[in-house]
Amino acid sequence: QVQLAESGGGSVQPGGSLRLSCEAIAATYRINCMIWFRQAPGKEREGVAATPMWGTASPYYADSVKGRFTISRSRDNDKRMAYLQMNSLIPEDTARYYCAAKGSCAEWFDAGQFGSWGQGTQVTVSS
């Protein structure tokens, strides 16, 4: 189990930017990967980006956000943080964004493997 808290969402115009933050604490397992998902109304939850929490392995991105979103990480004692810098936002990015944490980045995009989620943070892109 792990406690997850997302923040940083908001409303922006197309072409704008937002930076999301995720804090993972009180994990009962070693967090080796943190992941951002999003879910738009009427759609399934989809993986957006994932970052290994150790080493120099490259992060992973969904094709729809490559070149626009950047995931980054930080560690501070028992706290693990993941950030999602979102640039060149488009209306199709409108969704509630959630983060997740797991032991590896294998199959990172599969939302079904996670039994619980945080509150998420809403991102709305509209003119």
Side-chain angles (χ1 to χ4, degrees):
Q1 292 182 347
V2 61
Q3 296 179 23
L4 299 161
E6 304 94 340
S7 61
S11 295
V12 296
Q13 294 185 340
S17 298
L18 283 173
R19 184 174 187 254
L20 307 184
S21 298
C22 172
E23 178 179 353
I25 59 172
T28 58
Y29 56 92
R30 178 182 170 104
I31 295 174
N32 292 316
C33 185
M34 291 186 70
I35 308 156
W36 281 100
F37 288 87
R38 66 185 181 186
Q39 188 167 21
K43 295 188 176 181
E44 294 186 353
R45 194 164 300 190
E46 63 171 348
V48 175
T51 178
M53 295 303 291
W54 308 88
T56 59
S58 298
Y60 306 87
Y61 295 96
D63 288 343
S64 59
V65 306
K66 281 181 181 176
R68 300 189 298 120
F69 290 11
T70 302
I71 189 170
S72 59
R73 70 191 188 193
S74 69
R75 302 186 304 270
D76 181 13
N77 294 322
D78 293 334
K79 187 169 67 176
R80 304 288 179 260
M81 298 289 296
Y83 308 92
L84 189 67
Q85 178 65 44
M86 306 186 296
N87 298 327
S88 302
L89 284 162
I90 59 178
E92 290 77 12
D93 295 320
T94 295
R96 194 158 191 88
Y97 285 68
Y98 301 85
C99 68
K102 63 196 291 281
S104 80
C105 284
E107 303 292 317
W108 64 271
F109 45 82
D110 180 9
Q113 65 187 301
F114 299 101
S116 63
W117 298 88
Q119 294 295 313
T121 185
Q122 179 67 35
V123 171
T124 301
V125 184
S126 174
S127 56

